[in-house]
Structure formats: structure tokens, C-alpha cells
Amino acid sequence: MTARAADRARYDRATAHLDAPVAIVDLDAFDANADDLVRRAGGKPIRVASKSVRCRALLERVLARDGFAGLMSFTLAESLWLARSGFEDVLLAYPSADRASFAELTSDPKLAAAVTVMIDDPAQLNLIDDARAGGREVVRVCLELDTALRMFGGRLRVGALRSPLHSPAEVAGLARAVARRPGFEVVGIMAYEGHIAGVGDSVAGRPLRSRAIRLMQATARRELAERRAEVVRAVRAVVPELEFVNGGGTGSVQHTAAEDAVTEIAAGSGLYLPRLFDNYTSFTGRPAALFAQPVVRRPGVGVVTVLGGGYPASGAPGPDRLPVPYLPEGLRYDPQEGPGEVQTPLLGSPADDLLIGDRVWFRHAKAGELCERFDTLHLIEGDAVTAAVPTYRGEGRTFL
């Protein structure tokens, strides 16, 4: 029996008492992935990206482990909810226009001490001040650096369209603007190198493309390491007591951690290890989060149809944004239908061994987005479900 076949047998036994669709997290794999992230971070703390987990119980579990400290949230409303729930260090990774939440933040000393907001434009400070509604608490601010690789005089740009702040002078200029403004304090710098951390460099069947990605990423790492160090020096000249410099992501942990200027690493997807992280040469992990759909039809030889399963991930549309049939091995989508809203035909010889009511296990494409489809994660240890914990959705929280 292969390792994957053994996993299928375990998952089927563990969830035999549950009706599918069902979502699970294999805690042995989750913990092993956490250990691997810590190993790659080389002693620097890992700030957990909450959008990649979206389950308070699992956020608490990973933060209880050595090597992890703090959360990186994705909306301001989520940040306040987490802070009220007892998480004491929450960095909001994206600028916000949530005026009601800013009014709460600036009126509550506990929230203001726990939550750091992201800015990259003085206009965002104006929005916060306009939303204060009498709140006088000092707002902790993090400045975001654009990590994109610019070549040929800026004619070629590789990287996500995020912050407009690219040079050390631009970031330091915003730091000075914040320092002159009452009610705000610069405490950190963030730089997310998504073109390195979030792009696999070993694309199956595409050796030339894979080589080009590795070359791009090596060039981008060198350029960013040098520029990030200059940015940190420039900002520290304005804000000597800077608390943290955050960088990285699951795909670049060890590379970002090697930079002296970086004090902490952001990661989260590597805990669940969705399918988008299969194509990396820098690390391997164990799939920890999966979902099962029940077989409801057998249209013909070599075909079964499962209920639902069409859970596409965000990002540029493409096959890599789709879930992948994982267990039993050897199933594939019908190219005329793909994964559907209410039914998904699956082709392949393993289909002939599946009966009505059997389950097919899938891996999703992007980590925390699975939790927008399920209200409960069933936690598996060995071949037993040892707990059932709510996702954000299960707690009635859909932040974005």
C-alpha cells in the first residue's frame, strides 16, 4: 500500500461517521509543516498569516508552538475580532477603508495596543483621522514596501501591484510624514515578495519555464535584499525604535530569514500545504487540509460523479486555481465539465472501484479559502477525529 493509499484508508476510517462533504485537517501533517517552517526560519519568529488558516483553534495551536509569534490579518474588522479574542499582536497586512472599525480602534486602548495597521499613502492617514469619531488612541502603523523587481529602466516589472513605495527615499518620506502627525506611530516595515514566495519554480512539464522562474527569483532576491536593507536604514534614521521588519512567505522563508535587515517572517499557507505549493524546489511538506465529496452517480465505465466540488481559488484564472482530485489516486476531471457547482464528473480507472456513497478526497488550491466553503474542520490524529472546530465561517464571520 502506498503512503497516499494509507492516508486515504485513515481518512475514510476517521470520518466514516460523518456525511460528506466534509473538510479535515491532519494534525500530524499540520504539526510537521509547522516544524519545517520553524526550521527554515533559522531562529527568526514566524508571524502567522490568518487568511491562510481562518480557524481560531488552529491559530491558537500554532502560536502555542516555539518559533511562532503574532498574527498577520487580512481585514481590519478581523483584526479587531482577533484582538478581542485574546490575540495580542495583530498586524493588518492590507490598507483599510473601514471607517467604523477605525472608530473602534481609536477609541479602545486594548485594541490600539494590539493592532498595527498598514499604510503606503498619506491619504490613508487622512481617512483614519476622519473616522476617529472622537477616539484619541495612538494608531500603530506599518509601512509597506513595494518588492517588485524593476528592470530595463522600469519598462519590465515583476511582482504584485501593491504599495507605491519602492525606493528608500519614498519609504523614509512617509515615515517622516507619520512622525510629524499626532496620533500615529511607525512601528514596522512590511515587504511581501509574492513573486518569490508565492510562485513555484518547478512547473510540471515546463522545464524552460521553471528555469526562467528560478533565474528571475534569484535576481529578485538579490535586488530586494540590497534594497530592503537600504530602506530599513533610511527608516531607522527617522524611527530609531522600529519594532519589526516583516518579510517573506511560505515559499521564501529560508531566503528571507537570511537577510540581516529582516526581523520576522510571515507564513501561513505552508501549514495546510494546498496544491499551489507542490511546485517548489526549496522545500517539501505534507498536505494537511483536504475535503471529501460523496459519489452520487456512476454515469458509465470509468466515470463517477461527486456532489459539488467546484471551489476555484482567487487569482488569475487557470487550471492551477482548481482543486485537484487526490484520493484515490488516478482520477481526473472531464475536460468538458471540470469541477462544478453542484456536480463534478471524474474520469479514470479508479472510478470503477467506487460505489455510491464512497468519498473522493480533494486538495484545494489556496490555503484558507477552503474555510469559506466549510463551517467546520474535523481534526484527525492517526485514524480518528479528535475534535471538530469552527472555521471563521462557522463562527458567523465572513470578513471579505
Side-chain angles (χ1 to χ4, degrees):
M1 181 182 290
T2 67
R4 279 175 60 173
D7 282 341
R8 180 193 175 199
R10 282 198 304 118
Y11 301 152
D12 282 348
R13 285 195 301 271
T15 62
H17 62 294
L18 301 171
D19 285 330
V22 63
I24 66 165
V25 172
D26 182 332
L27 289 181
D28 292 338
F30 182 90
D31 291 343
N33 291 337
D35 288 341
D36 186 63
L37 288 170
V38 170
R39 176 189 62 79
R40 291 198 286 137
K44 291 187 176 178
I46 297 171
R47 184 181 292 272
V48 183
S50 65
K51 81 176 184 67
S52 300
V53 179
R54 302 193 202 198
C55 171
R56 282 199 299 166
L58 290 176
L59 290 173
E60 291 168 353
R61 181 184 183 91
V62 72
L63 285 176
R65 303 175 69 88
D66 290 340
F68 293 88
L71 294 178
M72 177 178 281
S73 59
F74 61 100
T75 75
L76 183 54
E78 179 212 15
S79 304
L80 302 186
W81 178 64
L82 291 170
R84 290 193 192 95
S85 301
F87 296 95
E88 297 179 347
D89 179 6
V90 184
L91 169 63
L92 175 59
Y94 306 89
S96 176
D98 184 345
R99 290 174 172 81
S101 291
F102 276 128
E104 291 184 52
L105 176 69
T106 57
S107 300
D108 188 317
K110 178 182 176 182
L111 296 179
V115 175
T116 301
V117 305
M118 192 67 60
I119 69 163
D120 55 34
D121 189 314
Q124 293 152 353
L125 301 176
N126 297 337
L127 187 147
I128 296 170
D129 271 340
D130 290 344
R132 282 181 180 270
R136 297 182 178 275
E137 295 299 323
V138 173
V139 176
R140 293 168 52 86
V141 165
C142 179
L143 310 179
E144 181 168 2
L145 168 68
D146 171 38
T147 65
L149 174 64
R150 298 180 183 179
M151 297 184 288
F152 307 113
R155 292 189 297 276
L156 176 62
R157 184 183 191 284
V158 181
L161 291 165
R162 292 176 63 109
S163 170
L165 306 175
H166 190 79
S167 70
E170 289 170 333
V171 184
L174 184 55
R176 281 191 290 273
V178 176
R180 291 193 296 265
R181 190 155 182 160
F184 297 92
E185 177 187 13
V186 174
V187 298
I189 299 171
M190 187 191 85
Y192 172 58
E193 51 266 49
H195 52 302
I196 303 171
V199 177
D201 63 351
S202 180
V203 184
R206 304 287 297 276
L208 294 180
R209 177 175 174 79
S210 298
R211 184 176 179 184
I213 291 172
R214 287 194 289 272
L215 179 61
M216 175 276 291
Q217 290 180 338
T219 303
R221 282 196 299 267
R222 289 192 296 270
E223 185 276 336
L224 179 58
E226 182 176 314
R227 181 160 53 91
R228 180 154 40 199
E230 293 173 357
V231 166
V232 173
R233 285 194 293 271
V235 173
R236 286 194 185 278
V238 180
V239 188
E241 302 304 318
L242 198 68
E243 294 178 16
F244 64 86
V245 177
N246 180 282
T250 288
S252 69
V253 171
Q254 64 269 42
H255 302 298
T256 307
E259 296 182 34
D260 291 338
V262 174
T263 66
E264 63 176 40
I265 311 300
S269 296
L271 296 167
Y272 287 166
L273 204 77
R275 65 166 296 196
L276 279 178
F277 287 89
D278 287 349
N279 301 322
Y280 284 77
T281 58
S282 60
F283 77 101
T284 57
R286 293 171 56 185
L290 301 94
F291 67 94
Q293 305 294 111
V295 174
V296 293
R297 287 177 171 161
R298 293 173 50 86
V301 176
V303 186
V304 292
T305 301
V306 299
L307 181 70
Y311 305 155
S314 59
D320 65 337
R321 300 292 153 164
L322 300 178
V324 61
Y326 184 60
L327 302 170
E329 298 180 63
L331 293 172
R332 65 187 186 279
Y333 292 127
D334 178 345
Q336 301 303 314
E337 294 195 42
E341 177 188 11
V342 291
Q343 73 163 36
T344 297
L346 297 170
L347 313 180
S349 57
D352 293 330
D353 296 323
L354 292 170
L355 304 176
I356 300 295
D358 285 350
R359 55 196 61 186
V360 175
W361 294 92
F362 292 79
R363 293 177 64 204
H364 61 299
K366 291 192 74 174
E369 292 184 16
L370 175 67
C371 296
E372 299 300 334
R373 301 287 183 170
F374 291 88
D375 59 13
T376 302
L377 296 175
H378 297 274
L379 308 184
I380 290 180
E381 297 181 78
D383 59 358
V385 170
T386 56
V389 295
T391 61
Y392 280 11
R393 173 178 167 173
E395 296 198 67
R397 305 286 176 167
T398 51
F399 292 107
L400 195 60

